Amino acid sequence: MTPKHKQIQKKRFALTPSATKRLLLVVLAALLTIIIIPKGGFVPDYYKPGDIASRDIKTPRDFLVPEPELTEKKKQDAAQAVIPIYDYDPRPSKAVAQKFSDVLSQLNAELHRHDDVTVEEASPASPDKTTSEAAAEAIVEAGVKPLPAVNPSAILDLQLTEAQTKSLRLLARDDALVPKFSRDIRHGLNRKIVGNLELFQNNWHGSILIRDLANDKETIVEDKQSVLGLNEVLRDLRQQLFGDQNVTAEAVEVMAVLQKMVRPNLTFNQSETEVRKRAAAESVLPVLLQVKRGEMIVREGERVTAEQVRKLQALQSSVDGFKMARNAAGLMLGIMLLFYVLHRFAKMNIRKYHPQQRDLLFLVSVFVGLFVIAKVGIFISMALQSAFPYIDSACYYYLLPFAAGAMLVRIVLNSEVAYVFSTLLALLMGMLFGNNLYISLYVLVGSVTAAHWVRHSQARSNLYRAGWYLALVNMAMVLAIYALSDNPFNEQVLYRLGFAFVGAFGCAMVVNGTIPLVESLFKYTTDFKLMELANMNTPILRELMIQAPGTYHHSIVVGNLVENAAEAIGANPLLARVAAYYHDIGKIKKPLYFAENMHPPENRHDKLAPSMSALILISHVKDGVELAKEHKLGHDLIEIIRQHHGTALIKFFYDKAQQREKDGQVNEQDYRYPGPKPQTREAALIMLADAVEAAGRTLMDPTPARIQGMVQKIINKIFIDGQLDECELTLKDLHEIAKSFNRMLSGIFHQRIEYPEPAYKEREKDKEIKRINNDDLHRESAAEPRHPDNNVQNGSQDDLKRLGMS
């Protein structure tokens, strides 16, 4: 594969800036989700009762612990609470009463029919015949057809003995006794009868549920006296039917028949009762013990109990994979929407909010770093509580350097980005600490305060000044949070106040130690870096002073001009001044081709074509960028070096080239700087000051009026050429810049009183002037270039100075 094909393939797989930003957003959301979702420390894999705990274990979240013993007891209680179920069927008892009534009625009717045939009508055939036999014979002789005899066994559906049948017939003879007997049987059997009353009473627990099989109704019976045993019912019937005295043999036989026929009508339904007990037990919800977030499960060195093992197992099992995945997806989506919406709003509505790809990478790194620190801080605070149990673990949260991120962003970027960063950080930190609104307020107020007090920090002591103000605000927020949360003011408030005070200075220390790392990794030029570069003894400036002293002096003057102007328009004066020191370092490589470093009468451009001269002047920008990268001056200074001429035209050599080319076919782009045009106010200030300072040196009589006219002319020329189109300077800013330049140049080119000299020095001076003039009569002035055109000869030196200084 050729290098060209490799380059094409590399471009094909390269991400566009838009795709890179989206990828950063997804990566940031994923990392924050991974950090936020687990709400606490890791749980040991397994502990058995009796093991020694290796560390303190606190509950990172609320969860429920099942209590099997209590659940089982509750199930047993629910099963025991089920009322025993008895099936009640009154139909067999009614059938027995009906059968007895029928048999007695039929026997009574049969006896009455026999009694209607008198004994007198029946003449006995022999003296040995009984009255009944005689009556039967009489009925036959009378021509009456006899009815079939009543069979009590068939009616009662019971095999009766002869004695029992005879007893029933005797009982049926009494007309008054038959209806009474039937009525007493119905009444006696129309009650709830169990087979064993003693067993029933032993199992009685206050009530029973009677299910009537005849109509499928269920009723609860709470009076056990309403239930009788079978023996008790028979005894009551005997008493009602025959009385307590003179119980005859016939009565005994009749009661024997009843005893065979009567059955219990109330029976215990054990299967249905067990089914309902099981259903009641299964309907019991498990007994769960609620464990609150932050509760200590086991302490280091303790012997683990069975209950603690259950809590640890419940903590492990409380992590539902599907639920956690769903929560993680929702949180990640929410974070992405939050970042995207707020970023788009700020970019469209906040003037100075324009983070580049490098800035976004830096912001992502700060976000992730802060959340990692906060997560580790949560673990450490849990461990510290075991060492110092009298201090609540939440107190240690105030030691965390929440505001360090906003301080870093404000120092590296600007206040607008720092404010957006603080808002996002506060919202997500609240989620990390269990959706705690108070933590969000604390982080937001502290971050904005810290970002405000580190603006234009030119000394590291400013960080600790910001830490002092942050400490005061943090302590005030602690009091405000305590007042809002209705917590009692106890010793925990003092701990929180102390930790908030210490944490503020901890932010300053973190930022102080992190800034060099940020400058190195992301190639930022902070104010602290600028203060180091402002030292005139840096190697590159010392080399500039030696190789190009005129350029060195020019850079210092430009630095003074832009610093004052930057303060007037609200730009960064330190960045403007330091960038002015380094903006022409590219002239080190060819210093003698620039007017401020030339030694008259030598002018090396006289021997070069205009195109070559223009190329040499243009090259100092490229050489300056290379030197800046070599000496690691930082991205901001490199861009200002690249932009400080914009796409300006080198007019002197362009005009000279046109004069040489009779047809005028000169490409203007060959005589313009490559650009880009100034992108920042600081770069535009250096462009203006560079041109003004160079033009100011051409003024023969630099009065304030002439200086003002010159400044106005230079600024108008640059403005009309469109060099300020891509920076944020306004017309009001240009007016303030012109006023600042006028004031500074008037001070630089101020008039001095000419002191008189002694007479002998005046005579020697006149002689020297006369001698020089006589010598120059035979040659051209070294200060004037040798050009045939008189107009060019008169103005070329001034124009060359202007171009060379710029």
Side-chain angles (χ1 to χ4, degrees):
M1 186 179 291
T2 63
K4 183 177 181 180
H5 290 165
K6 290 182 179 180
Q7 187 175 4
I8 293 174
Q9 188 176 9
K10 185 176 180 181
K11 289 182 178 179
R12 185 181 301 168
F13 291 101
L15 292 175
T16 63
S18 179
T20 303
K21 292 178 182 179
R22 293 191 184 95
L23 179 61
L24 281 176
L25 176 61
V26 173
V27 170
L28 175 60
L31 291 175
L32 294 183
T33 300
I34 293 172
I35 295 173
I36 292 174
I37 278 292
K39 293 295 193 302
F42 299 101
V43 181
D45 293 334
Y46 182 70
Y47 269 132
K48 294 184 296 184
D51 290 347
I52 304 300
S54 59
R55 66 179 180 90
D56 291 345
I57 303 176
K58 257 188 179 182
T59 58
R61 56 186 171 273
D62 295 345
F63 66 96
L64 300 174
V65 180
E67 292 288 339
E69 295 180 359
L70 294 178
T71 302
E72 186 62 29
K73 184 178 183 304
K74 192 174 179 180
K75 287 184 177 182
Q76 292 176 2
D77 294 342
Q80 291 177 0
V82 173
I83 301 175
I85 300 172
Y86 283 78
D87 290 337
Y88 175 60
D89 192 357
R91 291 171 293 187
S93 298
K94 290 180 180 180
V96 170
Q98 185 64 38
K99 287 179 180 180
F100 254 94
S101 178
D102 292 344
V103 74
L104 291 177
S105 298
Q106 292 182 26
L107 288 174
N108 182 265
E110 181 184 23
L111 291 174
H112 277 291
R113 286 197 303 272
H114 289 183
D115 290 341
D116 288 341
V117 182
T118 60
V119 178
E120 292 82 4
E121 295 176 352
S123 55
S126 67
D128 298 331
K129 293 182 180 179
T130 63
T131 305
S132 300
E133 292 173 349
E137 290 178 359
I139 292 173
V140 173
E141 292 177 359
V144 178
K145 188 176 180 180
L147 294 173
V150 176
N151 186 1
S153 296
I155 297 174
L156 297 178
D157 193 19
L158 185 68
Q159 187 66 35
L160 300 177
T161 64
E162 184 177 353
Q164 291 172 345
T165 303
K166 185 177 180 181
S167 297
L168 288 174
R169 289 182 180 276
L170 289 174
L171 184 62
R173 286 183 179 277
D174 191 345
D175 292 339
L177 184 60
V178 170
K180 178 181 181 300
F181 194 89
S182 299
R183 186 172 59 253
D184 289 343
I185 288 177
R186 286 191 181 92
H187 177 72
L189 297 182
N190 192 24
R191 292 185 288 180
K192 297 176 177 63
I193 307 170
V194 295
N196 191 332
L197 182 62
E198 184 179 358
L199 180 62
F200 171 80
Q201 291 178 345
N202 291 336
N203 294 331
W204 177 266
H205 296 292
S207 62
I208 61 172
L209 178 67
I210 295 179
R211 185 172 61 173
D212 195 334
L213 300 181
N215 53 22
D216 290 333
K217 291 184 179 179
E218 295 183 355
T219 57
I220 296 177
V221 176
E222 297 180 348
D223 182 14
K224 68 178 179 179
Q225 302 300 329
S226 62
V227 178
L228 299 175
L230 182 60
N231 294 332
E232 285 72 15
V233 170
L234 293 173
R235 186 175 62 247
D236 291 346
L237 281 175
R238 185 179 60 187
Q239 184 178 3
Q240 291 177 5
L241 295 175
F242 305 106
D244 294 331
Q245 303 296 328
N246 301 321
V247 178
T248 62
E250 291 80 3
V252 173
E253 294 296 336
V254 171
M255 291 305 302
V257 174
L258 281 174
Q259 187 174 3
K260 290 181 179 180
M261 296 184 63
V262 175
R263 292 288 181 270
N265 58 14
L266 187 66
T267 57
F268 176 58
N269 192 334
Q270 184 174 0
S271 62
E272 181 65 21
T273 302
E274 291 298 328
V275 168
R276 297 197 181 189
K277 284 186 175 183
R278 285 195 299 271
E282 292 173 358
S283 65
V284 172
L285 297 176
V287 178
L288 301 174
L289 174 66
Q290 185 178 22
V291 180
K292 301 294 289 183
R293 179 178 180 270
E295 182 178 337
M296 184 69 71
I297 297 179
V298 61
R299 295 187 180 276
E300 180 182 358
E302 281 187 353
R303 191 177 296 275
V304 181
T305 64
E307 181 181 0
Q308 291 171 333
V309 169
R310 283 200 306 272
K311 289 183 178 180
L312 294 175
Q313 292 173 348
L315 180 58
Q316 291 175 331
S317 61
S318 65
V319 181
D320 186 354
F322 175 76
K323 183 179 179 181
M324 179 173 286
R326 186 185 65 183
N327 292 341
L331 178 60
M332 184 173 176
L333 179 61
I335 292 174
M336 291 174 63
L337 289 174
L338 177 65
F339 273 88
Y340 179 77
V341 170
L342 199 56
H343 170 72
R344 291 293 301 173
F345 176 83
K347 194 171 183 179
M348 299 298 294
N349 296 280
I350 300 178
R351 182 172 60 89
K352 292 176 64 177
Y353 183 87
H354 294 289
Q356 303 301 316
Q357 184 171 321
R358 177 187 59 159
D359 303 332
L360 293 176
L361 182 60
F362 164 68
L363 292 174
V364 168
S365 302
V366 175
F367 256 110
V368 175
L370 282 176
F371 271 84
V372 169
I373 291 174
K375 193 70 172 182
V376 173
I378 292 174
F379 293 141
I380 294 176
S381 64
M382 295 170 63
L384 287 175
Q385 187 178 19
S386 62
F388 306 99
Y390 50 87
I391 301 178
D392 187 9
S393 61
C395 296
Y396 297 106
Y397 297 161
Y398 296 93
L399 281 172
L400 297 176
F402 296 117
M407 295 172 73
L408 270 175
V409 174
R410 177 64 184 88
I411 291 171
V412 172
L413 299 176
N414 54 49
S415 58
E416 287 78 5
V417 179
Y419 183 76
V420 175
F421 174 89
S422 301
T423 304
L424 292 170
L425 179 69
L427 292 174
L428 295 176
M429 277 295 177
M431 298 179 67
L432 176 63
F433 285 87
N435 301 324
N436 193 327
L437 176 62
Y438 298 138
I439 287 292
S440 293
L441 291 174
Y442 179 82
V443 174
L444 178 61
V445 174
S447 297
V448 173
T449 301
H452 170 73
W453 285 105
V454 296
R455 69 189 190 281
H456 298 322
S457 295
Q458 298 183 5
R460 299 192 184 273
S461 60
N462 291 348
L463 295 177
Y464 295 97
R465 181 193 64 178
W468 167 252
Y469 287 107
L470 176 60
L472 297 179
V473 172
N474 282 354
M475 294 170 70
M477 279 302 300
V478 168
L479 296 176
I481 290 172
Y482 248 79
L484 284 172
S485 60
D486 294 329
N487 288 330
F489 284 85
N490 49 26
E491 68 278 0
Q492 299 300 322
V493 181
L494 300 179
Y495 292 132
R496 282 172 165 81
L497 290 173
F499 290 151
F501 184 85
V502 175
F505 287 97
C507 291
M509 297 175 64
V510 169
V511 173
N512 197 6
T514 309
I515 285 177
L517 181 63
V518 171
E519 292 172 343
S520 175
L521 290 178
F522 298 97
K523 310 303 179 185
Y524 281 118
T525 305
T526 65
D527 287 350
F528 300 104
K529 179 70 172 179
L530 291 174
M531 288 300 299
E532 296 174 359
L533 295 175
N535 184 1
M536 306 306 293
N537 288 321
T538 58
I540 188 67
L541 288 182
R542 288 181 62 84
E543 186 177 358
L544 179 66
M545 180 178 63
I546 295 171
Q547 299 294 335
T551 302
Y552 176 81
H553 181 264
H554 158 75
S555 299
I556 293 175
V557 175
V558 172
N560 294 332
L561 289 174
V562 296
E563 182 177 28
N564 193 21
E567 292 177 353
I569 65 172
N572 189 339
L574 180 59
L575 174 60
R577 175 166 63 89
V578 176
Y581 290 165
Y582 293 89
H583 78 284
D584 272 344
I585 58 175
K587 295 180 180 180
I588 292 176
K589 293 190 175 182
K590 299 181 182 67
L592 297 180
Y593 286 89
F594 299 90
E596 68 270 23
N597 302 314
M598 289 182 182
H599 304 290
E602 181 185 8
N603 186 347
R604 298 193 176 190
H605 289 282
D606 294 339
K607 301 176 182 180
L608 300 177
S611 59
M612 182 57 68
S613 297
L615 188 61
I616 292 174
L617 295 182
I618 291 172
S619 67
H620 89 276
V621 174
K622 178 176 175 293
D623 295 337
V625 171
E626 292 177 353
L627 286 172
K629 290 181 179 179
E630 181 182 344
H631 289 80
K632 298 180 181 179
L633 298 185
H635 177 267
D636 294 342
L637 295 185
I638 292 172
E639 289 302 313
I640 290 177
I641 292 172
R642 183 179 283 119
Q643 300 166 13
H644 80 278
H645 279 300
T647 58
L649 177 67
I650 307 177
K651 187 168 174 38
F652 174 78
F653 289 112
Y654 176 69
D655 293 340
K656 187 176 179 180
Q658 283 186 324
Q659 292 174 4
R660 287 192 176 186
E661 296 291 337
K662 301 301 182 182
D663 54 359
Q665 296 297 324
V666 178
N667 187 2
E668 182 178 321
Q669 292 301 322
D670 294 339
Y671 294 87
R672 282 190 176 273
Y673 286 94
K677 296 177 181 180
Q679 305 293 309
T680 62
R681 293 187 294 175
E682 291 79 10
L685 279 175
I686 292 176
M687 170 183 277
L688 295 172
D690 192 13
V692 166
E693 197 277 338
R697 292 183 177 275
T698 65
L699 293 177
M700 299 301 295
D701 185 14
T703 62
R706 289 187 177 183
I707 291 174
Q708 183 177 356
M710 180 268 299
V711 169
Q712 189 67 43
K713 179 181 177 181
I714 294 297
I715 293 178
N716 287 339
K717 179 181 176 183
I718 294 175
F719 177 76
I720 293 172
D721 192 32
Q723 299 302 315
L724 306 179
D725 291 348
E726 298 179 11
C727 65
E728 297 179 350
L729 288 180
T730 63
L731 293 176
K732 181 181 179 181
D733 291 339
L734 292 178
H735 179 68
E736 294 297 328
I737 291 169
K739 288 172 57 178
S740 174
F741 285 172
N742 293 335
R743 185 170 58 254
M744 291 295 295
L745 290 174
S746 296
I748 293 173
F749 298 115
H750 65 279
Q751 298 291 333
R752 286 184 176 271
I753 298 174
E754 185 175 354
Y755 294 97
E757 295 184 353
Y760 67 92
K761 288 190 177 181
E762 288 286 344
R763 290 192 296 269
E764 292 178 357
K765 183 176 180 181
D766 291 340
K767 291 179 181 180
E768 182 68 20
I769 292 174
K770 185 181 293 184
R771 184 182 62 80
I772 292 175
N773 289 336
N774 290 332
D775 292 341
D776 289 342
L777 289 176
H778 305 287
R779 60 176 180 161
E780 295 180 350
S781 174
E784 296 179 357
R786 299 181 178 89
H787 292 291
D789 187 29
N790 191 37
N791 293 332
V792 175
Q793 290 175 357
N794 291 336
S796 62
Q797 186 63 25
D798 291 338
D799 291 337
L800 185 59
K801 286 182 180 179
R802 185 183 306 112
L803 292 170
M805 290 297 292
S806 59

